[in-house]
Amino acid sequence: MKRSMGVAAWMALVAVIGAVPLLTDDRYLLKVLVFVGINVIIVSGLALLFGYAGQISLGHAAFVGIGAYASAYVTSGLGLPWLVGVLAGTTLAAIGGLLLAMPSLRLRGHYLAMATLGFNEIMYVIFREARAVTGGNDGLSGIPFPEVLGVRMDTPASIYLLVWGTALVVVFLVANIVRGRPGRAMRGLHGSEIGALACGVDVARLKIRTFAVSAGLAGLAGTLYAHAVGFVAPSTFSLEQSVVLLAIVVVGGTGSLAGPVIASIALTLLPYADALIPGLGKDVIAFLQDWEADIYGIAMIVVVVLAPKGIGGLIRAARSRSRAEETG
Amino acid sequence: MTSDSILAVERLSAGYGRVAVLRDVSVDLAAGEMVALIGANGAGKTTLLRSLAGLLKPSGGRVWLEGADVTGMAPERLVRQGMALVPEGRMLFGPMTVTENLLLGAHSRPRRDESVRTDMDRVSALFPVLVERSSQPAATLSGGEQQMLAVGRALMSSPRVLLLDEPSLGLAPKVIADIFRVLKSLRSEGLSILLVEQDARLALRHADRGYVMRTGEIALAGTGAQLLENDDVRHIYLGARHDSRG
Ligand SMILES: Nc1ncnc2c1ncn2[C@@H]1O[C@H](COP(=O)(O)OP(=O)(O)O)[C@@H](O)[C@H]1O
Ligand SMILES: [Mg+2]
């Protein structure tokens, strides 16, 4: 079954993303879109792990935090170049993913959820208490802007392009993983672990690799976040954020990449709807932001009840409908 | 073990945690032979197949596959060595299509192995109904079709030894007959089959030889005909009542 996006569709996506900073210089909108792009990266990795391989993680916000703090420390603490910070943050998060994969070799379902939840809580305590590195509850500020080859990306437009360029590459790579043999093995593992073992899938290695890649992507997103915002504090990486990330994947649909990417764009934009719709009243925004978690919760219930396969399932259904119409 | 056996199990012990299930189980399978393993529920038949397929690490004994010691080998390596399992309960990939299930069955083989396509055609010829269902999710198939897919998926690894765990369970007699016809044609092509069955009569009628398992041990062994004639077997596993000694 071919569900790949054509070259034309990818080109169109590149064009749309590239056009945004030409069409607007609204700093607020660009900033919001940076958050959206960062979430697209995290959610792509989580869709791989949870949506495809069926391994739950309630610890992904912690991986984002590992990436963010590591990169912040390496650059502003140690004075090393930005790219070193990005590599350090991504690698450290991937190693964290390797460690978190260990319980997944023995635990599944609720037990794995509990183990990863515990991981997030432990990391949260570390972020708050390891003051020498993390700055404790006050966080770390003065994190330098991204800089490659002497070019400093200190404008909203340049950071937007950096984040979305990265997001595009990440989505493209993840799309290739899920379409190929590893993706098939992941979905097999999701369907039946014993079945996958009987087919000769090295399940342990698959889980470890998927956890590492997924956590590494979260870490990469974390490094982008740290340098885009210039400031990191523990609350950004709390368990609550992990729950929100998982909710986005569920709303997007398991076994789908496009669904979760769309869901992450829509749900991240929601509390900042005023960035897109300038006339929107302050009270509406205040309402959306106050009720953000509840809106996510309701979105999840609606999906579970009305469209259990999420946005991805709706896309598949629409596609097979249009294919049926084409063939008569 | 005999020199011509493709699979030889020597005094195998296995269990779950501290619970020992199999004790000193010795079984062998000659090339191109179909051997039935019968026994009551809980006798340890599934545990034996799981140990042979590498899903469970044996605590003692030896397993030889084509003369090589494969004791405790990981499942993905065993599949590459030619051992394939059709697990109890089929364990298909429900949301994935029939074709994807079959392709995943070939996961252990090199990326661009041309013979994967040949094997796909072979499985399609054995189970034509799978062709009709090729783009349907496995979960939407009937019980019989699912069992055929489970066998087909195992064949996609191009095995020399096929381990089957209760393929007839819950199926209509006609479907069972279809599946056994395929198994016998696979045997005639040289595949060696170790068949676990609850339905002892069915298994012993089709198999060359059989083993009777009782509480984790091999209690009896013989040809299919011998076991069908055996009084204990008749009483306990075939439900015979007045037509023997008593
Ligand atoms: N996962 C397991 N954990 C613990 N005990 C098990 C497990 N699976 C099976 N057993 C026990 O092992 C024994 C043999 O079971 P099994 O091999 O499934 O028998 P059979 O396939 O012959 O019905 C039974 O007593 C059963 O309760
Ligand atoms: Mg059994």
Side-chain angles (χ1 to χ4, degrees):
Chain A
M1 210 188 336
K2 282 249 154 52
R3 263 195 255 129
S4 58
M5 243 167 74
V7 178
W10 282 105
M11 298 298 277
L13 210 56
V14 171
V16 168
I17 288 170
V20 169
L22 301 175
L23 298 173
T24 178
D25 54 3
D26 182 340
R27 299 177 73 87
Y28 178 52
L29 174 61
L30 288 173
K31 230 171 163 165
V32 167
L33 291 177
V34 162
F35 290 142
V36 175
I38 286 169
N39 273 351
V40 165
I41 296 172
I42 307 169
V43 165
S44 299
L46 191 56
L48 194 67
L49 180 68
F50 180 65
Y52 282 88
Q55 306 300 303
I56 196 164
S57 167
L58 280 169
H60 257 53
F63 294 126
V64 182
I66 291 173
Y69 278 112
S71 191
Y73 183 75
V74 164
T75 52
S76 58
L78 304 178
L80 291 168
W82 170 76
L83 210 51
V84 177
V86 171
L87 287 176
T90 307
T91 310
L92 210 58
I95 292 170
L98 276 172
L99 297 178
L100 197 63
M102 299 305 164
S104 84
L105 302 181
R106 298 184 149 272
L107 308 176
R108 38 198 60 92
H110 303 308
Y111 298 99
L112 182 58
M114 294 303 288
T116 56
L117 178 156
F119 170 77
N120 207 120
E121 290 294 55
I122 291 167
M123 288 313 301
Y124 190 65
V125 170
I126 293 175
F127 295 152
R128 265 186 3 226
E129 303 301 330
R131 288 186 193 87
V133 177
T134 65
N137 271 327
D138 299 337
L140 287 177
S141 54
I143 303 166
F145 283 112
E147 189 174 329
V148 240
L149 305 169
V151 184
R152 233 161 88 98
M153 289 177 255
D154 54 2
T155 63
S158 60
I159 291 176
Y160 164 89
L161 286 174
L162 172 70
V163 166
W164 274 95
T166 310
L168 206 60
V169 171
V170 165
V171 171
F172 182 77
L173 292 178
V174 173
N176 272 295
I177 294 175
V178 301
R179 234 187 311 125
R181 277 163 67 99
R184 191 155 63 212
M186 285 174 194
R187 287 188 295 139
L189 167 62
H190 196 172
S192 166
E193 186 160 338
I194 291 180
L197 286 166
C199 286
V201 174
D202 189 339
V203 165
R205 199 166 77 168
L206 182 65
K207 283 181 177 177
I208 290 172
R209 280 186 172 187
T210 312
F211 260 100
V213 169
S214 185
L217 290 177
L220 173 65
T223 68
L224 292 171
Y225 174 86
H227 297 277
V229 178
F231 170 73
V232 287
S235 63
T236 317
F237 316 115
S238 65
L239 176 61
E240 195 187 322
Q241 293 306 312
S242 287
V243 175
V244 166
L245 291 167
L246 202 64
I248 291 175
V249 175
V250 171
V251 169
T254 56
S256 165
L257 178 60
V261 166
I262 292 169
S264 64
I265 295 171
L267 292 176
T268 314
L269 277 176
L270 188 69
Y272 305 105
D274 54 339
L276 283 179
I277 314 163
L280 213 59
K282 282 250 180 316
D283 46 339
V284 177
I285 290 308
F287 172 83
L288 287 175
Q289 291 183 349
D290 284 349
W291 292 83
E292 182 184 339
D294 305 73
I295 292 168
Y296 289 175
I298 291 167
M300 236 177 114
I301 293 169
V302 168
V303 163
V304 168
V305 175
L306 296 181
K309 288 176 183 150
I311 297 172
L314 297 177
I315 297 173
R316 279 195 295 273
R319 280 197 182 178
S320 60
R321 239 194 326 275
S322 71
R323 212 173 307 137
E325 273 161 23
E326 269 169 37
T327 52
Chain B
M1 88 185 238
T2 52
S3 56
D4 64 338
S5 57
I6 189 162
L7 177 69
V9 182
E10 237 176 60
R11 304 181 58 111
L12 197 75
S13 304
Y16 303 92
R18 250 169 295 158
V19 185
V21 174
L22 302 181
R23 275 186 311 273
D24 285 342
V25 171
S26 296
V27 162
D28 69 334
L29 184 63
E33 197 180 25
M34 174 142 75
V35 168
L37 183 68
I38 62 170
N41 217 339
K45 306 181 297 294
T46 296
T47 304
L48 176 59
L49 291 200
R50 289 174 63 97
S51 311
L52 296 180
L55 304 186
L56 200 61
K57 295 269 172 284
S59 52
R62 286 267 161 270
V63 180
W64 308 83
L65 180 64
E66 294 185 311
D69 186 348
V70 296
T71 318
M73 196 179 260
E76 66 274 5
R77 287 187 60 200
L78 279 164
V79 173
R80 261 180 276 144
Q81 304 283 326
M83 187 108 80
L85 170 69
V86 180
E88 188 175 48
R90 300 167 200 138
M91 302 298 165
L92 294 173
F93 310 118
M96 298 170 70
T97 66
V98 166
T99 303
E100 287 174 318
N101 270 267
L102 292 175
L103 286 173
L104 202 39
H107 187 81
S108 58
R109 299 165 70 176
R111 205 163 288 263
R112 305 209 186 286
D113 191 338
E114 273 306 311
S115 56
V116 170
R117 175 156 299 172
T118 334
D119 281 347
M120 196 73 136
D121 294 340
R122 183 165 149 249
V123 170
S124 303
L126 286 173
F127 303 112
V129 66
L130 295 183
V131 181
E132 291 164 39
R133 303 268 181 270
S134 61
S135 56
Q136 240 171 273
T140 63
L141 268 53
S142 73
E145 291 163 353
Q146 290 195 8
Q147 191 62 60
M148 293 175 194
L149 179 55
V151 174
R153 185 181 70 178
L155 292 177
M156 288 302 293
S157 68
S158 195
R160 287 180 297 283
V161 173
L162 186 63
L163 311 169
L164 287 142
D165 203 341
E166 305 211 25
S168 77
L169 198 69
L171 302 183
K174 189 192 164 306
V175 179
I176 296 176
D178 282 348
I179 286 174
F180 272 84
R181 197 173 313 125
V182 169
L183 294 182
K184 286 166 109 171
S185 94
L186 289 169
R187 173 182 59 181
S188 66
E189 287 168 26
L191 186 66
S192 311
I193 300 173
L194 181 58
L195 170 71
V196 160
E197 262 301 334
Q198 280 263 14
D199 187 339
R201 194 187 306 272
L202 174 77
L204 294 176
R205 239 188 8 237
H206 290 287
D208 303 304
R209 289 188 301 119
Y211 293 92
V212 179
M213 206 169 192
R214 197 178 294 151
T215 56
E217 289 176 308
I218 299 293
L220 280 169
T223 66
Q226 282 168 352
L227 291 175
L228 280 169
E229 291 295 302
N230 181 287
D231 285 345
D232 284 351
V233 174
R234 288 164 70 93
H235 273 286
I236 302 170
Y237 305 106
L238 302 179
R241 255 162 286 155
H242 307 295
D243 52 353
S244 61
R245 260 188 272 170

